[in-house]
């Protein structure tokens, strides 16, 4: 039996914000990477293109696309807005559509947007202690509606893959914006 992946976890530590240790890969998403997802393109173009919107610490214990494997991550979304729309993740369907995922809230507060392939959407409040099962065939995006950093954990199958293209083309059918200091859901 191959125990290659049997015991690496003691090298890894996580808290409410970070995943650290030798095998952790860090991903940064800046305004320049996200211009296409926000409604107000004019507003995003005038912002500092190097401003970080969110960071992901990932633990990939097996190769991408391994059947039966799992990946683990912590995402931190900064507080902020592009125009009146809150900072959010790119959002994606899984390339292998039937693959599910868990998200759980660690710190801060926001909304998890969920949308099926018929573009029917709903939201769940994500905050410290919340647990979210995202079934297969459901696109998912997290929006930081608070004025502090929002962090959440995630665990997903290593053969799920990310389909960003569908979201870049058509977006989600709902957006979360701030109006008169309050969050509002708007339909596209
Ligand atoms: O991939 P995004 O839509 O930008 O979301 C950011 C990240 O959030 C979670 O950690 C997911 O499980 C990751 O797979 C994803 O990469
Ligand atoms: Fe996912």
């Amino acid at each position: 039996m191959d125990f290659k992946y049997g015991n690496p976890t003691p090298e890894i530590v996580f808290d409410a914000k970070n995943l650290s240790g030798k095998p952790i890969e860090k991903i940064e998403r800046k305004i320049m990477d996200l211009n296409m997802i926000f409604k107000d393109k004019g507003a995003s173009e005038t912002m500092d293109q190097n401003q970080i919107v969110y960071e992901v610490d990932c633990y990939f214990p097996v190769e991408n696309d391994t059947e039966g494997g799992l990946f683990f991550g912590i995402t931190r979304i900064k507080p902020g807005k592009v125009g009146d729309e809150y900072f959010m993740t790119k959002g994606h369907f899984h390339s292998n559509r039937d693959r599910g995922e868990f998200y759980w809230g660690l710190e801060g507060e926001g909304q998890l947007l969920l949308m099926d392939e018929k573009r029917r959407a709903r939201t769940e409040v994500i905050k410290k202690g919340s647990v979210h099962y995202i079934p297969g065939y459901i696109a998912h995006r997290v929006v930081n509606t608070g004025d502090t950093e929002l962090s959440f954990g995630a665990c997903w199958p290593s053969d799920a893959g990310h389909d960003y293209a569908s979201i870049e083309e058509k977006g989600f059918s709902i957006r979360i914006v701030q109006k008169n200091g309050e969050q509002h859901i708007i339909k596209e």
Side-chain angles (χ1 to χ4, degrees), residues 107-176:
E107 208 173 67
E109 188 161 332
Q111 298 281 353
L112 167 62
L113 308 191
L114 300 167
M115 180 180 76
D116 69 12
E117 292 182 301
K118 289 186 173 154
R119 302 185 56 73
R120 293 177 298 203
R122 64 181 184 82
T123 62
E124 292 181 4
V125 173
I126 181 163
K127 59 181 184 182
K128 184 179 178 180
S130 64
V131 175
H132 310 269
Y133 176 62
I134 302 160
Y137 302 94
I138 301 292
H140 36 292
R141 162 178 282 167
V142 176
V143 184
N144 184 356
T145 57
D147 45 25
T148 59
E149 197 167 74
L150 166 64
S151 64
F152 64 95
C155 182
W156 68 104
S158 39
D159 62 350
H162 293 88
D163 170 11
Y164 293 112
S166 313
I167 299 300
E168 279 174 24
E169 272 165 39
K170 291 187 172 171
F172 275 68
S173 53
I174 54 173
R175 292 180 180 275
I176 315 255

Side-chain angles (χ1 to χ4, degrees), residues 92-94 101 103 134 140 156 161-162:
H92 56 269
F93 284 100
H94 290 152
E101 181 162 1
Y103 276 4
I134 302 160
H140 36 292
W156 68 104
H162 293 88

Side-chain angles (χ1 to χ4, degrees), residues 15-162:
D15 60 23
K17 282 178 177 257
N18 306 281
L19 194 54
S20 40
K22 232 199 288 167
I24 302 307
E25 291 180 33
K26 307 251 171 189
I27 299 164
E28 277 179 356
R29 300 251 204 242
K30 300 177 177 177
I31 290 286
M32 68 170 84
D33 306 313
L34 301 168
N35 280 324
M36 70 297 258
I37 68 167
F38 292 101
K39 176 175 52 89
D40 190 343
K41 306 283 181 281
S44 69
E45 278 161 18
T46 59
M47 291 173 73
D48 172 5
Q49 296 300 301
N50 281 308
Q51 188 180 347
I52 292 172
V53 177
Y54 63 98
E55 300 157 317
V56 194
D57 299 348
C58 290
Y59 177 36
F60 302 126
V62 293
E63 292 283 312
N64 198 29
D65 278 341
T66 301
E67 209 178 306
L70 293 170
F71 290 156
F72 185 87
I74 290 183
T75 303
R76 294 175 293 279
I77 311 176
K78 311 271 181 209
K81 284 180 288 169
V82 173
D84 60 4
E85 191 173 18
Y86 297 102
F87 279 4
M88 59 188 180
T89 61
K90 270 180 137 177
H92 56 269
F93 284 100
H94 290 152
S95 312
N96 277 319
R97 283 288 193 276
D98 64 350
R99 304 302 196 261
E101 181 162 1
F102 273 113
Y103 276 4
W104 57 97
L106 293 167
E107 208 173 67
E109 188 161 332
Q111 298 281 353
L112 167 62
L113 308 191
L114 300 167
M115 180 180 76
D116 69 12
E117 292 182 301
K118 289 186 173 154
R119 302 185 56 73
R120 293 177 298 203
R122 64 181 184 82
T123 62
E124 292 181 4
V125 173
I126 181 163
K127 59 181 184 182
K128 184 179 178 180
S130 64
V131 175
H132 310 269
Y133 176 62
I134 302 160
Y137 302 94
I138 301 292
H140 36 292
R141 162 178 282 167
V142 176
V143 184
N144 184 356
T145 57
D147 45 25
T148 59
E149 197 167 74
L150 166 64
S151 64
F152 64 95
C155 182
W156 68 104
S158 39
D159 62 350
H162 293 88

